[in-house]
Amino acid sequence: MLDVFITSRVRRKIVVVYAKYPDFHTHVRGLAKLIKEDPGNIQRELKRLEKVGFLQSEKQGNSRTYFTNKQFPIFKELQSMVIKSQQYSARSKRGMADRD
């Protein structure tokens, strides 16, 4: 359901991870492995999400770690949308399985 509002597949996956797990800290390659997407695309989306304030980052050695900005003005609403969207998807899938 989030695909209607967040059209970039990679951005959507990133937002879901960081909204569901606000204490999650990772670098580009770790996130790429987790969501099975190209690190170059992930890096571009992480920079966009950091620029608007949804994410923050810090340099650790020669890599950059990204984490959720819990003070982002619409963080709680976005987090709620992600959770509700996943619950809706799970119910829809169960409903389809019941019909089979």
Side-chain angles (χ1 to χ4, degrees):
M1 176 173 266
L2 282 177
D3 58 336
V4 173
F5 302 104
I6 305 173
T7 56
S8 165
R9 182 187 77 244
V10 175
R11 188 177 313 139
R12 187 172 50 249
K13 286 181 173 184
I14 293 170
V15 167
V16 166
V17 167
Y18 284 103
K20 269 184 81 172
Y21 307 103
D23 295 322
F24 184 66
H25 286 61
T26 191
H27 50 81
V28 174
R29 295 225 178 263
L31 188 57
K33 196 173 188 179
L34 178 69
I35 65 173
K36 296 174 179 53
E37 292 289 347
D38 177 65
N41 293 335
I42 290 173
Q43 179 68 47
R44 186 172 37 257
E45 294 299 341
L46 287 172
K47 285 182 180 182
R48 285 181 181 149
L49 290 168
E50 183 177 22
K51 188 175 180 179
V52 299
F54 176 67
L55 295 178
Q56 295 177 312
S57 70
E58 60 188 19
K59 195 142 173 82
Q60 292 182 337
N62 55 351
S63 70
R64 186 161 289 280
T65 301
Y66 291 87
F67 53 95
T68 307
N69 175 7
K70 296 176 195 169
Q71 303 307 312
F72 185 58
I74 61 169
F75 171 70
K76 290 290 183 192
E77 291 85 352
L78 192 54
Q79 186 179 44
S80 177
M81 284 175 53
V82 165
I83 292 167
K84 286 177 184 175
S85 175
Q86 290 189 329
Q87 290 170 346
Y88 176 80
S89 293
R91 277 196 305 264
S92 294
K93 287 178 185 173
R94 277 196 307 262
M96 287 183 180
D98 291 344
R99 285 186 241 161
D100 292 340

